[in-house]
Amino acid sequence: MTDILDFDREHLWHPYTSMVDPLPCYEAVSANGVMIELRDGRKLIDGMSSWWCAIHGYNHPELNRAIVEQIEKMSHVMFGGMTHAPAVELARKLIDMTPPSLNRLFFADSGSVAMEVAIKMVMQYWFANDRPEKSRLLTIAGGYHGDTFGAMSVCDPVTGMHEKFVNVLPKHLFAPRPSSRFGEELRDDDRDDLTKLVESHHNELAALVLEPIVQGAGGMWFYSAEYLKHARELCDEFDLLLVFDEIATGFGRTGEMFAVDHVDVEPDVLCVGKALTGGTMTLAACLANERIATGISADGGVLMHGPTFMANPLACAVAKRSIELLEEIDWRTRVSAVNAQLEHELRPLSKLKGVRDVRTIGAIGVVQMDAAVNVAQLQKQFVDDGVWIRPFNDLIYVMPPYITQPEQISTLTRAIGKALM
Ligand SMILES: *Cc1c(COP(=O)(O)O)cnc(C)c1O
């Protein structure tokens, strides 16, 4: 046990950590259902779905079977010049599930790469259409789109990583984060803020890029669905493309299959990732409409991207099975039950000292504090209480697997309540 942790501490980077003064780390040895087992035998209820991915929980026999069956046929072949049934069958499903105009699909190997590809799509579109000056992006503050350079350039400029890369990151435009909450009408100031930026910059703008309805790792903020309608209208009027990053929101998490389903709007490009494979393997995809696809290739142009592990058959096979499982478990009923319980059990915490806000949507529950929390200390307390919850900044949040049982959700919310006492 100490061997693993000691070697890890000496040699392994973890997400956003120091190699000199790393935060403590726990060794997981197995995971089953919603439980993660540690080396010392303790079992934790997973409140994070391993960063939003493991929507069906862990070690799911059906997902395992999909991987095993595929590995015995073919674990990988190059996608350059070849295709295969797992890719086609998954693409067919994704095209069916997403807004009707999105019928061209690119498989990427992670969410960040999917965002890079989406950005290339919109840039190449305008380049091919003799408008190369339309090469800046407009996005909303408080967003998170990944850690690669293109994706990072549209992350929040303050909480994102901009200052360390200021000389190499392209300077994009940021609208203020919409203050109108989910479920509310869009306030005039939110509407005007976006309108003004589009009106004055549309000639240099390729696209508006945003996380629809739920801004995830940039602050867990849920905003008015009407903002998306307004965004679409502006993009149509001023000839901007519209990109939705549904990497965190996809596959039922917000109470609809995709966040875009909360409203009658279609983006030009939609990115999915994270829960796509049910948390088993890395895979992401960009779906685009006909305008983008044919526009890029109008003069014989080609989309300039091609990952080595593009459309990996194992990942595609398990993603297809994960989507089928969603239907089989009646995800909509489950997510709405999780929501009702999170709302009921977290809402009372809003009265506690130090709590600024409590909000829930779908299978996401957030307690926002007045100030940043001590992550290492809170995490230890949560582990001692038998739950896996990883706060960031001023946010303590849960987004459990959809199969989490009511008493397990209560254990999660009780642990949060106790931590705030
Ligand atoms: C996690 C995330 C990404 C990046 O995905 P990776 O697989 O970590 O590269 C992009 N956009 C959103 C909204 C995300 O939540």
Side-chain angles (χ1 to χ4, degrees):
M1 164 173 155
T2 48
D3 269 6
I4 300 257
L5 289 179
D6 288 348
F7 188 94
D8 180 285
R9 196 176 167 82
E10 279 303 307
H11 299 284
L12 296 189
W13 261 292
H14 284 261
Y16 320 107
T17 48
S18 162
M19 262 294 173
V20 176
D21 184 22
L23 291 177
C25 189
Y26 300 85
E27 186 194 345
V29 289
S30 71
N32 243 301
V34 301
M35 309 300 288
I36 300 173
E37 187 182 345
L38 301 184
R39 167 65 67 193
D40 61 15
R42 285 187 291 178
K43 291 196 169 106
L44 311 178
I45 298 172
D46 177 22
M48 309 305 298
S49 299
S50 280
W51 276 343
W52 326 55
C53 299
I55 51 177
H56 304 296
Y58 301 91
N59 202 13
H60 195 293
E62 291 298 319
L63 299 182
N64 290 359
R65 194 188 337 272
I67 296 175
V68 170
E69 281 176 6
Q70 184 56 43
I71 209 168
E72 286 171 349
K73 288 184 209 147
M74 169 173 79
S75 57
H76 187 65
V77 287
M78 61 191 284
F79 213 55
M82 280 193 191
T83 191
H84 44 76
V88 170
E89 286 167 11
L90 174 60
R92 207 190 283 278
K93 274 201 179 298
L94 290 171
I95 287 169
D96 278 353
M97 294 165 80
T98 47
S101 60
L102 303 173
N103 60 6
R104 306 287 188 137
L105 186 149
F106 187 101
F107 281 117
D109 28 20
S110 72
S112 301
V113 173
M115 289 310 297
E116 298 294 323
V117 172
I119 293 169
K120 283 187 180 179
M121 282 179 176
V122 298
M123 301 280 177
Q124 280 199 246
Y125 175 86
W126 291 115
F127 189 85
N129 282 271
D130 296 325
R131 301 284 308 274
E133 73 285 2
K134 279 172 82 70
S135 62
R136 278 183 95 187
L137 301 171
L138 171 62
T139 185
I140 6 183
Y144 176 79
H145 298 282
D147 292 350
T148 52
F149 276 85
M152 195 164 59
S153 72
V154 281
C155 288
D156 186 83
V158 181
T159 65
M161 300 149 273
H162 288 218
E163 83 280 7
K164 295 191 174 64
F165 305 101
V166 65
N167 293 326
V168 280
L169 278 187
K171 306 266 181 297
H172 295 313
L173 276 170
F174 291 83
R177 149 181 285 177
S179 58
S180 320
R181 288 175 179 251
F182 180 70
E184 293 178 353
E185 286 180 8
L186 187 60
R187 282 202 269 284
D188 286 342
D189 50 341
D190 287 336
R191 186 182 302 272
D192 296 346
D193 284 339
L194 189 64
T195 307
K196 276 186 211 133
L197 281 169
V198 174
E199 276 175 352
S200 46
H201 293 276
H202 61 92
N203 281 324
E204 52 169 342
L205 287 174
L208 170 57
V209 178
L210 51 79
E211 293 159 281
I213 306 219
V214 172
Q215 290 186 302
M220 306 297 295
W221 177 245
F222 317 148
Y223 63 88
S224 171
E226 287 181 11
Y227 192 84
L228 303 181
K229 274 196 178 155
H230 180 55
R232 181 72 266 181
E233 283 162 15
L234 280 175
C235 288
D236 289 343
E237 184 180 351
F238 291 95
D239 220 6
L240 266 62
L241 298 165
L242 182 59
V243 177
F244 283 178
D245 175 353
E246 293 240 23
I247 291 163
T249 51
F251 306 101
R253 183 57 72 178
T254 70
E256 293 288 344
M257 185 56 88
F258 294 99
V260 63
D261 298 330
H262 287 283
V263 65
D264 187 18
V265 158
E266 302 201 11
D268 298 287
V269 180
L270 186 149
C271 297
V272 295
K274 285 201 160 92
L276 173 58
T277 64
T280 55
M281 300 191 66
T282 178
L283 184 69
C286 294
L287 291 110
N289 61 19
E290 210 55 30
R291 176 184 180 193
I292 298 263
T294 55
I296 290 170
S297 299
D299 281 328
V302 297
L303 180 64
M304 291 309 289
H305 212 85
T308 306
F309 282 95
M310 187 168 185
N312 173 254
L314 291 177
C316 289
V318 70
K320 172 175 165 253
R321 191 69 194 104
S322 173
I323 292 169
E324 288 165 358
L325 266 184
L326 273 176
E327 303 300 337
E328 290 165 23
I329 65 164
D330 188 8
W331 63 271
R332 190 182 288 279
T333 306
R334 289 203 184 226
V335 169
S336 86
V338 172
N339 180 265
Q341 193 178 352
L342 288 176
E343 183 61 36
H344 179 73
E345 294 176 3
L346 292 178
R347 180 65 53 200
L349 304 182
S350 62
K351 295 194 200 76
L352 296 182
K353 199 164 147 275
V355 175
R356 172 184 297 193
D357 188 42
V358 170
R359 48 187 181 264
T360 73
I361 185 174
I364 311 174
V366 179
V367 177
Q368 181 170 20
M369 307 301 292
D370 286 331
V373 300
N374 182 332
V375 174
Q377 186 197 319
L378 260 185
Q379 183 129 65
K380 177 171 184 314
Q381 185 175 341
F382 285 136
V383 169
D384 290 342
D385 284 336
V387 298
W388 183 247
I389 299 174
R390 189 168 169 83
F392 71 95
N393 293 336
D394 54 351
L395 299 161
I396 305 173
Y397 73 100
V398 286
M399 36 179 49
Y402 304 163
I403 58 163
T404 313
Q405 296 301 307
E407 65 278 9
Q408 295 170 319
I409 291 176
S410 294
T411 307
L412 292 169
T413 58
R414 263 200 313 273
I416 295 177
K418 188 174 152 199
L420 301 182
M421 293 300 170

